[in-house]
Amino acid sequence: MKEKKVIKRKVTKRKLKVKNVIILLIILILLGVFSYYLTTLKIKNIYVLNTNILDDKTVIYTAKLEDYPSFILTKSSEIKKNLLKNDYIKDVKVTKSHKLKVYLEIEEYKPIAITTDNKLISESGKIVNNDYELKEIPILIND
C-alpha cells in the first residue's frame, strides 16, 4: 500500500492593524461632522421678486421661511406648495443658489375690480378677500 503524504499548511492568523482601524474611525467621524455641518447651514438671504400686491414679509411667512431654516433640508417643491396656497399667487419659481440664497419669483393674479362687499375679482375670475385694502382699481357696483 501506498502511504499518503500529509501536507501541513501553515495557518497564519491575520492581525487587525490598530493603525488602520483608527484611520477608518477618524474618517467616519469627519464625515459625520461634515454632514451635520452641511445640514445645519441656514439660508442666508431670501429674495422676493415681482410682487405688486404682496409684501416680502407676507411671502416669506407664507413660504414658512421666516426662521431661515436649513438650506439643504428645505425643498423648493415645499416652498412652492406653501406659496400657491395664497389666493393672490398665480405661480412661483423657486431658485436656490450655491451661496445659500433663495430666490422667489412670484406671479400674482392681477386684480381687475373690487365688489361692493370689498372682494377682489382677479383676471382669472377668481374672487378673493381684499386683505391688502387695494383702492386703485375700479369698483364693481351691482344695482
Side-chain angles (χ1 to χ4, degrees), residues 82-111:
N82 290 336
L83 284 172
L84 289 176
K85 291 178 185 174
N86 188 310
D87 291 334
Y88 289 89
I89 297 177
K90 182 190 244 182
D91 194 24
V92 180
K93 181 181 177 192
V94 180
T95 309
K96 293 169 79 173
S97 76
H98 62 283
K99 295 180 182 178
L100 304 177
K101 297 178 183 178
V102 176
Y103 295 90
L104 305 173
E105 292 180 52
I106 308 290
E107 184 182 349
E108 297 173 324
Y109 285 109
K110 182 180 175 186

Side-chain angles (χ1 to χ4, degrees), residues 36-76:
Y36 175 76
Y37 171 74
L38 280 180
T39 57
T40 56
L41 279 175
K42 292 189 175 270
I43 295 171
K44 285 190 178 179
N45 298 87
I46 302 169
Y47 297 98
V48 180
L49 309 170
N50 306 331
T51 56
N52 294 322
I53 300 172
L54 301 170
D55 60 342
D56 293 354
K57 198 175 204 177
T58 303
V59 172
I60 291 170
Y61 181 77
T62 305
K64 297 183 181 174
L65 298 174
E66 67 272 5
D67 58 347
Y68 290 76
S70 167
F71 182 77
I72 300 278
L73 299 178
T74 304
K75 297 178 184 175
S76 297

